Every structure is written in C-alpha cells, then in structure tokens.
C-alpha cells in the first residue's frame, strides 16, 4: 500500500516507539519499555545507550543542540539549549550526549516561580527525564520532556504532580477493577484538549500595547457588528487562515501531535483545533507544543495568534475543553458497553467521578482560576463559576431510579442492559449535549469545560485524577471485604449510597440562567466567583489531606502552588493596570488633546466668520470633559494599584486587586471607549474592534 504524505511525515521529528525499536538494541528497548509502562527505575547503562541512539537520530535530523523541556509554575514551557559539542582540542569536535545528560539537568531554579518552596540560598533545581513522553526535535533542538524539581525533591512544575496523580489513579482503578475480576497491566488517564484561539492581523496586534503586553484588549468600544448573525461558527475558513491551519497541521504531525479537527468558532476571528486524545501527560505536552506552534506559525501568514481567555469584550472568549477518561489496557472505562457485567463496572466508575467532582468541586474550580478565565466564566459564553455535572436525560433517569429504588424505564431508542435487576436499559450513545455545563458526560468521556484557553491542563487533570482515585479507593476498600457471591448487591448498595450523598452536583438544566445560581445555592454548591475567592481551596485542610494521602503534593508543595498562583494573579493585574495608564497617558490623552485642539481651532475660525457650529461646540465640550475624566481616572487607577501592589499577604493582595483595581480599570475603560466613539478614525491611536475583528 502506498503511504500518503501525512503518513510519511507523521512523527518524523519524534523519537517515537517505532524509532526506538529500530535504533535500540533489543534488550535495551525492552528495559526502557519496562521503565515507561511499569514505572521501573532506569539504570545508567540503559540511559547511556538510549542517549547515544537519541543523539545519533537527532544529528541525522539536523539537530545541533538539546534541551530539557519543562513546565515551571508559570504553566508555559521552558528550555535552555546546550549543544552536543565536545571539542577534541585539535580544532575539531565530537558530538556527544551522555545518559546522565539525558536523565538529569540542573537549571538555575531561582528565576522561576516557586511559591516560596525554594529558599533563595538554595537555587538549585533539577530536571528529570520523563520517558513516558517522547523526545522531539524543534528548530534543530532535541527537546527532552522533563519534570522539574527542587534540590530537596519538591515539585517545582506542573508535570510532576500530574504524573503522580496518574499513578495514584491507575493504582486505585486497578484495585477496583480486580473486584470485577480484571487485572489490566496499565490503567491511566486519557485527555483530548480542544484548543480555542483568535487570529488577527499581525500589524493590528503590533499596534496595540495591550495585546502585546497583556494578551487582551484593555480598551476598545463595541464593534458595529458582533457574533449575532451566528455566521462564523463552522463557517467557511478564510484563505489566509486556511493556509495557517494547513501549515500548523503539517508541523504538528511531524512532532507526532495528532491534530485532527479544525473549524471556525462562534466569535469573529475565533477558531478551534482538537487533537485525537492521548495518554494524559503526553496529551498535555502536545497541547503545549500546539500552543507554541500556533503562536510561531501565525507570523508566517501575517497573523497573530491570541490565546488569552478574553481578548475582546462583546464577543465570546476562548476556553480549552479537558476531555477526560480512564483507560485500562486500551479499554475506555467510561464507555457504557452492551455486556451486563461491564455495565455495573461502568456505573461504579461513573459514580466515582460524580462523587469526586462533588467532594472537591472547590478544588476543581480553583484549578481553572486565573485572571484571564475570570473574564470568561459566567459570561453567557462559558459555564458559570459553579461546578455541576451534566449526565443527559437517560443517565439522569438511571440515577434517579437507583437512588429512589424505582424501576427504570428508558426514554431512548438504543438500549443496553445494565446487568442489575432494577435497571433495565440505558441509552448507549449519549449524544445529548449541554453546552452550558462545566462538566458534562459526552457518551464515553467527561468534558471539563471550565478550563481557560491559555491554561496548562495539568492542574485540572491532576485534581480530577486524585479526586477520582479517592473514590475508587473508597469503593475498593469497602468492597474488598464482602463475599464474592454477594458482590453485585454490595456494589449496587455502594453506588446507591454514594449517589444519594452526591446527587446534588448533578444538573441538567440551563447553566447560564440566574435560576441555576439560586438553585445551586439552595443545594449548597460552592460558587467561587473570582480567582481570589477560588484559590484558597488549594490550601483547604481537606484538600491538602487529599493531595498528601495520594502522594500527589505534600503540604509545602500545595501551599507553594497556592502562593505562586495568588502572586501570579496580582502580578498580571498590576501589569494590566500599568498598561492601561501607559496607554491612557501616552496614547489616548495626547490623541484627544490633538483632536480637540483641531476642533477648537476650526471652531474659532468659524466663529470669526460668525458661523460657529453648535454641534462642534458640543463635541468639543464633550472631548474636554473626557480629557479631564481620563486624567482623573488614570490618577485614581495608579493610586489604587500602588496600594494593592504594596500589600504583602497574597490573599489580601488578590482581593485588593479584585475589589479595588479592577473597578478602577473598568471606570477608565468606559471613559476612553466613550471618547473613541466621538473621534475620527484617523486620530485614534490604536486599531478599533471593527478593524481587528473584521479584517479582509
Ligand atoms: P466536541 O463535540 O466536544 O467538539 P469531539 O467528539 O470532537 O467533541 O471530541 C472532542 C475531544 O474529545 C477530541 O479531542 C477527542 O479526541 C476527545 N476524546 C474522545 N474520546 C476521548 C476519551 N476517551 N478520553 C479523552 N478524550 C477523548
Ligand atoms: Mg467540546
């Protein structure tokens, strides 16, 4: 069979399993597989052989340098390039790469956020090879995915706790599965991250300091047209964007990223890319690579890629859906199947997820909290900041029948036997879709839709994994002591008890409506509106205990993560406030002063002729009023920002930003946007929403 172009390029720049099979001696390959799949320790001899093969392969593909590629608490990726050069001393050089260089790096940790974990006198940090995620070549650099830890072994990154959570989930899922007579070798998380983004003209981007410095527009009056015609979603893709998407696919495929779906999204200039799902940490590495390639390749097409959650007011923001499931030796554990005995198992796993989400709703919410995402959540375009679970009509009915001990009658056409007497059938392909739910069951996986577009999915995935591990642990512990012959009855009893306790989290209605807010409050569900409200959940004693019990984060690591996130929130808002005062003082005020001066001169010339226009006089008065109001408003913003900036306590500082600085930012924006409406296009110092969102 002929191989097509895609097949020949796919993975050509990754040190993939097939490359390893080809390049490594058989025993070395086998040993490495044990390390990857069974989590066994890697010895240095094996590492040396792998490093040698990796280097030879990388050199063949034009690489000159290598880097340990890691994800500090900023959430984005970091790299420092080292060459393979080892000069011989005779004017020539060898190209070398040792096992030690492969498995461990030592970047200076002091320049990365640590939330106080790393004392300043101990700046050392280590990167450690993650052999479960394939190395790849990017721009002539061999990139080795790594975890980043402190000298004392504490996680300084996003990947380490994620990997730990995958181990915890795998172990407890195996315990639960063994009660169903199953002994899979490998149980883990699968993730399919749908990535939304905007593309605008690079020249418009470059002309707006707010986009360049903050990733979002801090000013801008409403465009004459928004997304109300609903023409953009799935609409024909404009040629420039199409060229960009094609190049993006090509580059991602070379890197082994299974990019598959691309389409226009609801807002003008908004698009989405979805890959085929993969194992958790690999999928997240690939999402980070995707985001990086998007930013880079956009410039090849005269475009800029915006990944902020809310680059523009008045139109939808961008999210990243964390499609999540569990897989046991290739079998999806959230896939309802036709066989009765498997359906009880499905019900147990489903129940565990429901209970996990209810038990740690606050933590899940916190895992998606950021200054950017605050602007999107609850805005009638994204789920509210209240966590609930959507199951669809059929599963709702099943759960109701279990909790209330009533016989179950199916509404749907396709049925399957649940294998438990009182549960006759459940619809197989749950195609019901509720776009307003933050956490929806979509047939054979859950879709966590609260995550922000620029976020690293490690945090939400880690929280989900560990929260579900806790429920599987509870199930396995309780059921391991019951008599085998009575397993089904006891398992159903556990399911019923657990669902009864956690039923309040299930909600199938309109998550965007105000009624839901009131109903959620009645149910006692947490509504953590803002990042400052949400973040403290990370250090809630029950949550710290959860992290500790499953070996995902110790208390110091959890506290450090809280501090790092809280500090990041304040720092981002400080930058936004600074950018606003910079733009107001150096761009908007001068433009308004010039423009009103022109009008005044024209007006006085006309007055000399006895022809002064009343509307020009009115316009001038309004511009003058605007200039004074902006002047006063910038000063007020600077004042409150200074007060907030000086606060030491991270929680108090975040609240000051939310309560004082954001309102001052909004007040300034309103005045500037009003002035934009009065001015000629020529005098306005930055591109307008009309220009940016509706380019040709
Ligand atoms: P939507 O209708 O939400 O756009 P799709 O059916 O296109 O959803 O799937 C969205 C994402 O979910 C894709 O990235 C897909 O690979 C992923 N996905 C599908 N099955 C699973 C699974 N079992 N685990 C994790 N992700 C999955
Ligand atoms: Mg989706």
């Amino acid at each position: 069979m002929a191989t097509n172009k895609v097949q020949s390029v796919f993975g050509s720049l990754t040190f993939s399993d097939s490359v390893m099979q080809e390049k490594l001696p058989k025993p070395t390959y086998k040993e490495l597989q044990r390390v990857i799949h069974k989590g066994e320790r890697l010895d240095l001899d094996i590492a040396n052989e792998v490093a040698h093969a990796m280097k030879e392969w990388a050199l063949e593909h034009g690489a000159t340098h290598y880097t340990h590629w890691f994800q500090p608490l900023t959430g984005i990726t970091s790299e420092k390039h080292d060459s393979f050069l080892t000069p011989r001393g005779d004017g020539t050089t060898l190209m070398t790469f040792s096992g030690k260089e492969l498995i461990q790096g030592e970047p200076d940790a002091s320049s990365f956020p640590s939330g106080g974990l790393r004392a300043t006198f101990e700046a050392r940090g280590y990167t450690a090879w993650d052999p479960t995620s394939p190395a790849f070549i990017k721009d002539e650099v061999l990139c080795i995915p790594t975890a980043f830890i402190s000298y004392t072994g504490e996680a300084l990154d996003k990947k380490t706790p994620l990997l730990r959570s995958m181990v915890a989930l795998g172990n407890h899922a195996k315990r639960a599965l063994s009660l169903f007579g199953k002994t899979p070798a490998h149980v883990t998380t699968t993730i399919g991250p749908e990535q939304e983004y905007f593309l605008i003209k690079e020249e418009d981007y470059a002309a707006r300091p707010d986009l360049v410095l903050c990733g979002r527009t801090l000013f801008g009056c409403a465009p004459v047209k928004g997304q109300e015609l609903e023409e953009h979603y799935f609409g024909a893709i404009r040629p420039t964007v199409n060229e960009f998407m094609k190049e993006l696919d090509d580059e991602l495929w070379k890197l082994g990223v299974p990019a598959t779906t691309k389409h226009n999204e609801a807002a003008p200039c908004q698009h989405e890319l979805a890959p085929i799902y993969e194992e958790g940490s690999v999928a997240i590495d690939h999402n980070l690579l995707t985001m990086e390639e998007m930013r880079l390749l956009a410039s090849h097409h005269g475009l800029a890629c915006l990944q902020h959650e809310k680059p523009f007011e008045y139109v939808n923001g961008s999210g990243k859906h964390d499609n999540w499931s569990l897989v046991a030796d290739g079998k999806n554990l959230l896939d309802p199947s036709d066989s009765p005995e498997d359906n009880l198992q499905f019900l147990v796993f489903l129940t565990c997820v429901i209970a996990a989400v209810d038990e740690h709703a606050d933590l899940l919410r916190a895992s998606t909290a950021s200054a950017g995402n605050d602007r999107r959540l609850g805005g009638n375009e994204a789920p509210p900041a209240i966590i609930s679970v959507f199951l669809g009509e059929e599963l709702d009915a099943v759960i109701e029948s279990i909790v209330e001990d009533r016989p179950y009658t199916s509404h749907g056409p396709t049925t399957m036997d649940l294998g438990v007497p009182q549960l006759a059938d459940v619809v197989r392909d749950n195609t019901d879709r509720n776009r307003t739910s933050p956490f929806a069951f979509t047939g054979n996986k859950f879709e966590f839709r609260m995550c922000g577009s620029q976020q690293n999915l490690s945090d939400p995935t880690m929280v989900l994994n560990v929260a579900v591990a806790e429920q599987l642990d509870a199930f396995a512990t309780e059921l391991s002591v019951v008599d085998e012959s009575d397993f089904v009855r006891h398992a159903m009893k556990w399911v019923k008890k657990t669902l009864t306790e956690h039923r309040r989290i299930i909600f199938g209605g309109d998550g965007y409506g105000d009624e839901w807010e009131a109903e959620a409050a009645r149910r006692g569900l947490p509504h953590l509106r803002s990042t400052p409200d949400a973040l403290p959940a990370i250090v809630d004693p029950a949550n710290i205990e959860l992290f500790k019990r499953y070996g995902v984060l110790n208390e110091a690591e959890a506290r450090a993560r809280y501090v790092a996130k809280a500090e990041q929130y304040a720092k981002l808002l400080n930058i936004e406030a600074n950018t606003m005062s910079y733009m107001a003082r150096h761009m908007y005020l001068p433009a308004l002063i010039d423009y009103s001066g022109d009008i005044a001169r024209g007006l006085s010339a006309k007055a000399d002729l006895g022809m002064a226009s009343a509307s020009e006089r009115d316009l001038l008065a309004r511009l003058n009023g605007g200039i004074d109001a902006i002047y006063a408003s910038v000063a007020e913003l600077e004042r409150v920002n200074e007060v907030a900036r000086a606060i030491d306590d991270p929680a108090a500082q975040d609240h000051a930003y939310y309560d004082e600085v954001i309102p001052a930012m909004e007040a300034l924006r309103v005045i500037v946007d009003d002035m934009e409406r009065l001015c000629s296009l020529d005098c306005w110092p930055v591109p307008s929403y009309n220009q940016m969102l509706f380019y040709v």
Side-chain angles (χ1 to χ4, degrees), residues 190-194 272 274-277 323-325 332 433 435 444-445 447:
T190 50
I191 298 292
E194 293 168 69
E272 177 181 308
I276 294 165
Y277 68 91
N323 291 276
W324 178 97
S325 191
N332 182 356
R433 306 222 167 229
R435 294 276 162 200
N444 58 5
K445 63 180 191 291
E447 188 169 342

Side-chain angles (χ1 to χ4, degrees), residues 588-601 627 683:
Y588 295 125
L589 280 174
L592 286 162
I593 291 165
D594 284 353
Y595 186 57
S596 57
D598 286 350
I599 294 177
R601 274 185 295 278
I627 290 168
C683 86

Side-chain angles (χ1 to χ4, degrees), residues 89-401:
D90 63 356
T92 64
T93 188
L94 289 168
M95 295 297 258
T96 61
F97 184 49
S98 69
K100 201 163 164 285
E101 286 168 315
L102 166 65
I103 57 180
Q104 188 175 308
E106 200 178 322
D108 180 354
S110 61
S111 303
F112 297 100
S114 73
L117 252 190
R118 174 197 39 72
T120 32
F121 58 84
E122 185 42 271
R124 256 182 301 176
Y126 293 102
T127 47
W129 180 34
D130 167 18
T132 64
S133 185
F136 55 91
I137 297 173
K138 186 169 60 81
D139 206 12
E140 300 180 1
V141 179
L142 168 68
C143 299
I144 299 153
T146 54
F148 180 41
I149 49 182
S150 75
Y151 179 63
T152 42
E154 276 131 345
L156 290 175
D157 68 347
K158 300 277 183 187
K159 185 188 268 254
T160 305
L162 172 70
L163 290 173
R164 291 173 181 163
S165 76
M166 286 166 64
V167 171
L169 181 65
N171 288 343
H172 291 286
K174 280 186 192 169
R175 286 179 59 219
L177 286 170
S178 74
L179 298 168
F180 290 90
K182 297 189 181 149
T183 50
H186 187 55
V187 184
T188 189
T189 325
T190 50
I191 298 292
E194 293 168 69
Q195 178 71 46
E196 293 180 342
Y197 60 97
F198 280 78
L199 286 175
I200 62 166
K201 279 193 164 175
E202 200 171 24
E203 66 212 51
D204 288 345
Y205 172 78
R208 298 221 32 152
D210 46 1
L211 284 178
V212 173
L213 295 167
C214 309
R216 76 178 183 98
T217 52
L218 300 168
F219 298 98
C221 66
V224 293
K225 165 180 163 178
Q227 61 190 55
E228 63 273 32
L229 297 178
E230 298 180 329
E231 68 208 326
H232 196 252
Y233 189 65
F234 284 15
I237 299 170
R238 67 179 104 200
T240 344
V241 170
N242 210 19
E243 287 307 308
F244 160 81
M245 286 178 168
K246 280 200 277 191
E247 191 187 358
L248 180 62
D249 277 343
D250 284 344
E251 292 306 311
L252 290 176
W253 290 336
K254 286 184 204 161
L255 293 167
V257 179
T260 186
T261 308
K262 46 188 181 183
H263 60 81
N264 285 350
E265 259 300 329
C269 300
Q270 194 185 24
H271 313 281
E272 177 181 308
L273 180 145
I276 294 165
Y277 68 91
E278 298 178 278
E279 232 181 83
S281 70
V282 177
I284 290 169
D285 283 357
H286 281 170
N287 175 249
L288 293 165
L289 263 179
T290 301
M291 292 170 70
E292 186 181 329
E293 290 292 328
M294 278 177 173
R295 292 190 300 265
L296 178 78
L297 298 177
S299 67
H300 294 183
H301 303 272
L303 300 168
C305 177
L306 309 178
Q307 295 171 343
H308 192 279
E309 283 79 11
K310 190 77 177 177
F312 303 100
E313 290 304 313
Y314 312 109
V315 296
N316 279 10
S318 299
K320 175 147 55 200
H321 295 172
D322 189 359
N323 291 276
W324 178 97
S325 191
L326 298 112
V327 66
D329 287 349
K331 193 174 171 330
N332 182 356
L333 296 171
L334 289 176
D335 199 358
S337 86
D338 300 326
S339 83
E341 58 283 8
D342 284 349
N343 283 327
L344 176 58
Q345 181 192 306
F346 164 73
L347 199 58
V348 166
F349 277 86
L350 184 76
T351 301
C352 284
V353 178
I354 294 167
V357 173
D358 186 36
E359 197 70 44
H360 298 287
D362 58 345
L363 197 51
L364 276 170
R365 165 71 184 97
S367 75
T368 66
S370 69
N373 218 16
D374 277 3
R375 305 207 153 260
R376 186 181 76 98
L377 295 179
N380 265 319
E381 61 192 72
I386 307 164
I387 299 264
S388 63
V389 176
F390 171 82
L391 295 174
E393 238 175 82
E394 287 291 331
L395 283 175
D396 276 349
V398 170
I399 281 167
E400 202 173 295
S401 76

Side-chain angles (χ1 to χ4, degrees), residues 26 35 90 113 120 153 298 516 554:
K26 233 195 187 92
V35 173
D90 63 356
T120 32
W516 169 231
N554 64 29

